[in-house]
Amino acid sequence: MATHQKGALRNRAWIVFFDESGVSLLPQVCRTYAPRGRTPTLRHRLNWKRASMAAALGYHAAEAERGARLCFDLRPGSYDTDALIAVLKQLKTFYEGERVVLVWDGLSAHWSRAMRAWAAEQDWLTLERLPAYAPELNPVEMLWSAIKTRELANVAGDHLADVADAAERGINRVCEEGRLPWSFLAHTGLEIHSPTPHN
């Protein structure tokens, strides 16, 4: 496909940033307030059980008024190529067959032979790679920061489900506060003008 044709395709597509993160029963320790002389303590089980979460935050290149859209996945363990392909299939349903330019980092599972072969068969999907060592260019990093410093801050759950529930509450809060997803996108330096930001 010629370069100008690729550019035209991107202008009619959703630009979607994707990233993964992890949560565990080890609490995200954050500063908090307490009465003088009563240093808060966190008591937790030394348990390394982990869950992984992935999020895709996107906007329409030509029609920003359609709003920022956030898609979220959470599952036990970690993501491999097969799990990521399953998430991308959900993403296709989420965007109802519209064209998507997916921007993500250089994680090996993102660019494995199996992933590239699967993506090559998807007429709705184009994969783009973020520069190395540039997490500030991915607005999903701001999403993780927003929930890890609030809903996940100092959470010492007994079960992984407690932490997963807190993460989901954080995602729901971000979705309800329509300006937050736009602020994450703007933090990357993107210039997106939407008269009525919504999610």
Side-chain angles (χ1 to χ4, degrees):
M1 183 183 289
T3 302
H4 70 279
Q5 290 175 313
K6 286 184 178 179
L9 176 64
R10 286 174 175 79
N11 289 338
R12 296 193 301 272
W14 286 86
I15 309 300
V16 178
F17 293 87
F18 188 99
D19 193 44
E20 304 93 343
S21 187
V23 291
S24 75
L25 289 177
L26 298 178
Q28 300 277 335
V29 179
C30 294
R31 289 189 176 193
T32 187
Y33 293 96
R36 181 175 294 176
R38 297 184 187 174
T39 303
T41 57
L42 280 175
R43 300 185 186 280
H44 65 88
R45 299 179 180 182
L46 189 59
N47 191 312
W48 294 96
K49 284 186 178 177
R50 290 181 59 84
S52 295
M53 50 188 181
L57 176 58
Y59 71 98
H60 197 278
E63 302 171 32
E65 66 276 5
R66 295 175 70 176
R69 300 189 68 185
L70 178 60
C71 182
F72 178 71
D73 181 79
L74 190 147
R75 63 184 64 210
S78 58
Y79 288 102
D80 58 13
T81 296
D82 290 338
L84 286 171
I85 287 174
V87 173
L88 294 183
K89 288 177 179 177
Q90 294 175 25
L91 193 69
K92 179 180 181 180
T93 302
F94 185 74
Y95 281 99
E96 298 178 337
E98 294 194 74
R99 294 191 179 278
V100 169
V101 176
L102 191 76
V103 184
W104 57 7
D105 59 28
L107 186 73
S108 59
H110 293 171
W111 300 100
S112 67
R113 182 175 299 176
M115 176 63 76
R116 286 184 282 118
W118 178 84
E121 297 174 351
Q122 310 304 310
D123 60 358
W124 62 279
L125 181 66
T126 301
L127 299 181
E128 294 290 349
R129 184 172 183 161
L130 282 165
Y133 308 109
E136 71 280 0
L137 297 179
N138 193 334
V140 182
E141 295 283 358
M142 295 297 296
L143 169 69
W144 300 144
S145 178
I147 67 174
K148 287 182 178 182
T149 55
R150 187 160 166 180
E151 283 79 10
L152 289 172
N154 302 321
V155 172
D158 290 327
H159 306 284
L160 200 53
D162 299 330
V163 183
D165 289 345
E168 289 188 356
R169 285 195 300 274
I171 293 295
N172 290 335
R173 172 179 61 86
V174 170
C175 289
E176 289 167 2
E177 297 178 17
R179 293 185 180 275
L180 270 179
W182 287 106
S183 70
F184 301 156
L185 288 161
H187 182 79
T188 66
L190 289 168
E191 292 185 10
I192 309 168
H193 305 284
S194 178
T196 310
H198 61 280
N199 211 22

